[in-house]
């Protein structure tokens, strides 16, 4: 079977790899049998101010849950990403930056980055930011965003980065949740030739009557585009820097002190503020970055994720910088102004390691191989994939056209909540199968359970759970610890519930099949269907809405919304367009529905629960396999929806 074919480890990789298959097996076993001994050693990969003597204190019992790692040690994350490289690598490049316009290029050495972080940390202190405060960052993909994150970490402030695609309402909700006093932004961002009005979006968010906490907005001048200015509240980044000292001692943080908050969507309710702490997260991010990408000190490492997502946090900032790597940071999108941009950038900067998402691969693939006829690619060693299941066709295309059949692909499965990669091949150790994330990383115990929580052995399919803690795990949902326990540990008591489905094959390889809850994954962006439904229902003409994902060639999943209008409201095209704009305004462009279908009624059980199973099938055009409709209050609703779907 083609999808099952095994890809051997290229000898050029195997000969110099950090870990061979035999070493992987030995280390994995040790990490499970003796986690304290294993992590006692591996925790030393980062610098501690006060070394830890305690390693792991964890319990996944929902009635008595605790997660602590290296918990009597102290450290600083920014010092780990900067200060400790100054002695030997101060002139090494930390960041190579390329703008949306390829003529805009900037480089920063470790020493320059360190200096900028110190100055900006002093600037934050001058604005009253203190240890434990939440600072919101809404910035484009420019080095200053990393400066802002590391400056927060330096003084012990908790950063909360918001992806630039979120709307003012979404920004407001996150600012309120974190009670953030300071917001850092830029005048505008640039993406695929268009500007993004970041400062204006912040202004609109702050005009929200419930946002009372923000005292200062620090603005980085990036495009010099027009913006509004609020005296006494807004301050230019540059003006703060010119007077700031280049020396800033780092705060001594406890291992379990918070490092950052990052909001992510769940199956119910508003986005959750995922809280990561300092010690375990740093150890795990640095260690996975080194092993999964078989990191070598001369690598040029390019992660195409936006810094507003967890991939940007762990594998553009904290992991690689803790390891002293040179990263490539790109402001725009890798397929603009043409699909060949990706290859041009790899060749221009001699990229050795590329970490990207299946949706990007599919979109370039759709343009045809000839776009890569001038692509050399000989600098590349390792390719990575993240964010959603990669279909075998895209995997093979990535392997052949980008990797020239010489680069292992690491298909890395993980989540915002897990902080770092949990299931992945290791380049020198794991033979790969297109579409499989393969085997667990050290210390990670995945398992498959049925819907009753019974562990399934051997070859099986069901819910993916993790049986024991790993250092990079989230510690709580900010301000709502009960929700944390309920969401992740109550479904199957004693296990971390991932919300993903998975298969395990005869070789013990894992194949992620996608979410089993009401979360959809659109172009690698994670969205709760409930969030989009609440946005739609907030429109004055909408009575009810049900949102599902449907198969989409490029994005993996598209957003399909069934909308019931209030009595008397006309179902027409202008209203459909208005609803799309409305969702964009309420949540952001990433949540904008691809298809809206008017639904005079929705299929419901007798107790009034919407039966999404049917809606998913109809959206996917799988109307011959609808399954048992006997529990529906009114089965004729389904027929009406099918007729409308067929006419679409
Ligand atoms: C890192 C990140 C998490 C969800 C996760 C799963 C999907 C991520 C994947 C993958 C299959 C992979 N996912 N990586 N599915 N194969 N290699 O993406 O975090 O934004 O929180 O999304 O993404 O469904 O549960 P996040």
């Amino acid at each position: 079977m083609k999808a099952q074919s095994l890809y051997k480890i290229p000898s050029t990789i195997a000969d110099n790899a950090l870990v061979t298959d035999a070493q992987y097996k030995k280390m994995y076993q040790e990490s499970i049998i003796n986690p304290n001994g294993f992590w006692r050693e591996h925790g030393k990969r980062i610098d501690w101010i006060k070394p830890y003597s305690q390693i792991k204190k964890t319990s996944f019992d929902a009635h008595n849950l605790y997660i602590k790692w290296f918990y009597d040690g102290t450290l600083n994350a920014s010092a780990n990403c900067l200060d400790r490289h100054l002695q030997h690598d101060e002139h090494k490049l930390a960041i190579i930056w390329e703008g949306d316009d390829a003529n805009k290029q900037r480089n920063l050495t470790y020493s320059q980055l360190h200096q900028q972080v110190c100055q900006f940390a002093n600037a934050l202190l001058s604005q009253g930011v203190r240890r434990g405060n939440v600072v919101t960052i809404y910035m484009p993909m420019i080095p200053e965003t990393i400066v802002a994150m590391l400056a927060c970490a330096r003084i012990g402030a908790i950063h909360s980065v918001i992806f630039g695609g979120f709307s003012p309402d979404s920004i407001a909700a996150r600012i309120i949740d974190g009670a953030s006093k300071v917001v850092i932004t830029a005048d505008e961002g640039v993406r695929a030739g268009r500007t993004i009005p970041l400062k204006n979006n912040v202004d609109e968010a702050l005009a929200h009557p419930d946002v009372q906490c923000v005292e200062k907005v620090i603005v980085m001048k990036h495009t010099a585009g027009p913006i509004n200015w609020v005296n006494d509240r807004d301050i230019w980044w540059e003006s703060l820097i010119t007077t700031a000292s280049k020396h800033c001692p780092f705060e001594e943080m406890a291992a379990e002190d918070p490092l950052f908050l990052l909001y992510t969507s769940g199956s119910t309710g508003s986005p959750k503020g995922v809280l990561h702490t300092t010690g375990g997260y740093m150890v795990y991010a640095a260690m996975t970055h080194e092993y999964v990408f078989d990191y070598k000190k001369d690598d040029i490492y390019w992660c195409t994720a936006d810094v507003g997502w967890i991939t940007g946090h762990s594998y553009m900032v904290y992991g690689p910088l803790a390891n002293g790597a040179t990263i490539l940071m790109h402001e725009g999108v890798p397929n603009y102004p043409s699909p060949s941009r990706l290859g041009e950038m790899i060749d221009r900067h001699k990229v050795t390691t590329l970490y990207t998402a299946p949706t990007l691969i599919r979109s370039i693939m759709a343009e045809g191989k000839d776009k890569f006829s001038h692509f050399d690619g000989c600098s590349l060693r390792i390719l990575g994939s993240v964010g959603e299941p990669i279909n075998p066709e895209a995997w093979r295309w990535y392997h052949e056209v980008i990797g020239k059949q010489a680069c292992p692909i690491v298909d890395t499965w993980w989540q915002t909540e897990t902080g770092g990669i949990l299931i992945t091949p290791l380049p020198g150790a794991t033979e790969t199968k297109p579409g499989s994330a393969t085997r667990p990383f050290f210390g990670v115990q995945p398992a498959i359970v049925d819907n009753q929580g019974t562990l399934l052995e051997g070859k099986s399919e069901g819910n993916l759970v993790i049986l024991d803690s790993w250092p990079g795990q989230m510690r709580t949902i900010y301000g709502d610890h009960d929700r944390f326990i309920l969401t992740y540990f109550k479904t199957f008591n004693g296990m971390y519930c991932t919300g993903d489905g998975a298969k395990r094959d005869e070789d013990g390889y894992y194949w992620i099949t996608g979410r089993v809850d009401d979360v959809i994954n659109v172009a690698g962006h994670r969205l709760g269907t409930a969030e989009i439904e609440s946005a739609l229902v907030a429109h004055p003409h909408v009575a009810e809405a049900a949102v599902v994902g449907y198969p989409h060639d490029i994005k993996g999943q598209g957003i399909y919304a069934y909308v019931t209008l209030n009595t008397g409201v006309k179902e027409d095209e202008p209203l459909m367009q208005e609803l799309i704009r409305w969702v964009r305004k309420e949540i952001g462009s990433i949540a904008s529905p691809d298809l809206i279908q008017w639904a005079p009624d929705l299929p419901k059980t007798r107790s009034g629960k919407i039966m999404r199973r049917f809606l998913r099938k109809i959206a996917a055009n799988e109307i011959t396999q609808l399954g048992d409709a006997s529990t529906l209050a009114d089965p004729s609703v389904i027929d009406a929806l099918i007729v409308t779907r067929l006419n679409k």
Side-chain angles (χ1 to χ4, degrees), residues 78 84 103 138 143 145 231 251 281 307 460-461 502 578 631:
S78 134
R84 73 168 176 155
N103 294 316
Y138 183 66
T145 309
N231 286 330
E251 279 282 314
Y281 174 82
V307 76
S460 44
E461 178 166 3
E578 184 184 322
T631 50

Side-chain angles (χ1 to χ4, degrees), residues 202-409:
V202 169
D203 288 341
E204 259 187 63
L206 300 191
H208 198 288
D210 294 339
V211 182
Q212 300 290 341
C213 47
V214 174
E215 293 164 11
K216 295 286 172 199
V217 176
I218 302 174
V219 189
M220 163 77 205
K221 189 179 277 182
H222 177 47
T223 62
I227 53 168
N228 290 321
W229 199 254
V230 179
N231 286 330
D232 300 332
R233 188 198 71 183
D234 299 348
I235 322 158
W236 285 112
W237 172 298
E238 289 77 1
S239 72
L240 282 176
I241 290 297
T242 42
T243 52
S245 156
K246 295 181 179 117
H247 301 282
C248 180
F250 45 83
E251 279 282 314
E252 180 172 356
M253 306 303 288
E256 287 299 336
D257 279 339
L259 178 60
F260 66 84
L261 274 180
L262 188 60
Y263 287 82
T264 191
S265 299
S267 52
T268 54
S270 51
K272 309 175 276 234
V274 169
L275 185 104
H276 281 288
T277 57
T278 313
Y281 174 82
M282 287 302 292
V283 169
Y284 201 73
M287 180 167 171
T288 45
H289 170 261
E290 177 171 359
Y291 283 117
V292 174
F293 299 103
D294 197 45
Y295 169 67
K296 305 278 190 292
K297 73 177 186 12
D298 294 326
D299 279 351
I300 306 288
Y301 167 88
W302 185 17
C303 165
T304 68
D306 191 281
V307 76
W309 305 114
I310 191 68
T311 307
H313 281 57
S314 302
Y315 299 110
M316 187 158 59
V317 181
Y318 289 109
L321 296 184
N323 290 334
T326 299
I327 65 162
L328 173 61
M329 182 183 206
H330 178 216
E331 182 174 12
V333 286
N335 50 358
Y336 173 86
S338 85
S340 50
R341 177 76 180 266
L342 181 88
E344 286 160 15
M345 284 187 65
I346 293 170
D347 287 342
R348 179 156 52 242
H349 300 289
K350 309 262 176 302
V351 171
T352 57
T353 315
L354 175 69
Y355 192 29
T356 192
T359 184
L360 176 84
I361 299 163
R362 287 192 297 265
S363 73
I364 318 181
M365 193 173 139
E367 301 281 342
K369 277 188 192 165
D370 57 317
K371 295 288 184 311
F372 281 79
S373 52
H374 297 293
F375 171 56
D376 175 21
C378 68
S379 57
L380 279 174
R381 268 192 319 121
I382 312 281
L383 302 177
S385 173
V386 61
E388 53 174 315
I390 178 164
N391 45 311
E393 298 70 34
W395 194 102
R396 284 195 204 93
W397 194 92
Y398 196 25
H399 186 253
E400 280 160 32
V401 181
I402 306 295
K404 314 275 188 195
Q405 302 190 325
C407 306
I409 296 181

Side-chain angles (χ1 to χ4, degrees), residues 610-631:
I610 295 176
M611 296 202 64
R612 282 157 201 287
R613 172 159 73 84
F614 294 110
L615 296 176
R616 279 191 211 108
K617 294 262 182 198
I618 296 170
N621 256 331
E622 289 171 4
I623 41 194
T624 50
Q625 319 147 29
L626 283 181
D628 181 18
S630 60
T631 50

Side-chain angles (χ1 to χ4, degrees), residues 264 309-311 385-390 411-417 437 498 500 512 514-515 521 524 526:
T264 191
W309 305 114
I310 191 68
T311 307
S385 173
V386 61
E388 53 174 315
I390 178 164
D411 175 1
T412 63
W413 175 85
W414 60 295
Q415 309 176 301
T416 305
E417 294 88 337
T498 66
D500 278 322
I512 311 300
R515 300 289 305 194
N521 197 324
R526 189 173 146 176

